[in-house]
Amino acid sequence: MKKRILLLAFIPFFGCAEMQQVIEQLPQTQGTLGQMGIGQAEISSGLKEALNKGIEKQVVKLTAADGFYKNEMVKILLPEELKKVDKTLRDIGMSKLADEGLKVMNRAAEDAVKQATPIFVDAVKGMSFTDAKNILLGNERSATTYLESSTSTALYSKFNPVIKQSFSKVGADKVWSTIITKYNSVPLVKKVNPDLTDYTTNKAMEGVFKMIAVEEKDIRTNLSSRSTDLLKKVFALQDKKQI
C-alpha cells in the first residue's frame, strides 16, 4: 500500500515503461488505498495517460534538439571566466565561433538528460511513507526538492561521462579547443583552461530540476492539469491537506 501511494505522489515525473516495471513488482492485491478508494487496477489503467503527459513535458522535451539551447529557462550560458573569452572573440570578428561554442555545450546536456529517468524511478522506489506524505502535503516544490537531494550524486555520476563523450560526439571538444587556443593567443590576455565537462554537467542537472519544478507546481495548483480521475483523487488529498 505504501509503495502505491509513493508512486501516486510522483505521477507527473516519470516515463510509462519505467514506472510500469515498478508497478509490476508490487504485491498483486485487489485492495484499495485506504481512504482514497483507489484499487491497483485503477492505478494501472490511469498511469499511461498521466505518465505520457509527464514524460512529454519533462525528460523528452529536454533531450530533443534545442531542448536546452532554445529554452531560456534552462539554456546553458557561459561560466563567468569564459564571458571575457566570448567578448574577446566577438570583438575580433569571431562571433560565429563563439555562438558555436555555446550551442555545443547545450547539445551535450541534451544528450546527457536521457540518462535521468531510471535514476528518478530508483529514487521513488527508495522513498519511505513519511517521505511521500511530506511531499504530497508539502509546498509546491517538495517533490523536486526530494529528488534533488536524493538523486544529485547519482545524476552527476551518470551525466558526467555522457557529457564528456557527447563533447566529442557533437564536436564540442574541438570547438572549445579552438576557442581556447584562439583566445589564449591574443596578446596580454590571462590564459584560461576551464573544466567545461564539470560545468555543463552541473548546469544540465540544474535544468532538469528546474523543469520538474515547473510541472510539479502546475499539477499542484492548476486543477485543469489533473487530466485523469486518478490525478484528481490523489491531489485532492493535497488540496485538503490530509492523508
Side-chain angles (χ1 to χ4, degrees), residues 160-211:
N160 193 259
V162 173
I163 285 176
K164 186 175 182 179
Q165 185 179 27
S166 294
F167 266 35
S168 176
K169 185 172 75 175
V170 303
D173 53 349
K174 293 180 180 178
V175 171
W176 276 101
S177 176
T178 300
I179 288 174
I180 298 303
T181 299
K182 291 285 187 185
Y183 177 78
N184 287 341
S185 68
V186 175
L188 304 179
V189 301
K190 182 180 179 180
K191 291 179 170 44
V192 296
N193 186 29
D195 185 349
L196 286 176
T197 301
D198 175 74
Y199 175 78
T200 306
T201 299
N202 283 304
K203 286 299 181 181
M205 291 168 54
E206 190 178 299
V208 168
F209 292 125
K210 188 173 289 188
M211 294 307 295

Side-chain angles (χ1 to χ4, degrees), residues 52-74 106-107 109-111 113-114 117 207-208 210-212 214-215 218:
N52 280 334
K53 175 185 176 185
I55 199 70
E56 181 182 348
K57 285 195 170 184
Q58 301 307 332
V59 179
V60 169
K61 180 186 290 186
L62 290 177
T63 61
D66 294 327
F68 273 82
Y69 188 61
K70 290 189 177 179
N71 182 341
E72 293 303 319
M73 285 190 64
V74 297
N106 283 270
R107 287 286 182 268
E110 290 156 11
D111 208 25
V113 172
K114 296 171 186 175
T117 301
V208 168
K210 188 173 289 188
M211 294 307 295
I212 287 175
V214 168
E215 177 68 5
D218 187 51

Side-chain angles (χ1 to χ4, degrees), residues 137-152:
L137 304 185
N139 62 40
E140 63 187 25
R141 203 181 184 278
S142 292
T144 305
T145 299
Y146 175 82
L147 286 177
E148 205 164 1
S149 64
S150 60
T151 66
S152 287

Side-chain angles (χ1 to χ4, degrees), residues 1-6 26-27 29 31-34 36 129:
M1 180 186 299
K2 293 179 181 179
K3 284 190 176 181
R4 294 188 194 118
I5 294 175
L6 304 184
L26 298 177
T29 66
T32 59
L33 299 179
M36 291 189 288
F129 175 73

Side-chain angles (χ1 to χ4, degrees), residues 3-4 7 16-29 40 43-44 47-48 121 125:
K3 284 190 176 181
R4 294 188 194 118
L7 290 172
C16 290
E18 291 87 352
M19 194 64 84
Q20 189 61 39
Q21 290 175 4
V22 176
I23 292 169
E24 289 170 357
Q25 294 172 17
L26 298 177
Q28 298 299 308
T29 66
Q40 183 165 323
I43 294 173
S44 298
L47 274 175
K48 286 188 177 179
V121 171
K125 291 167 68 176

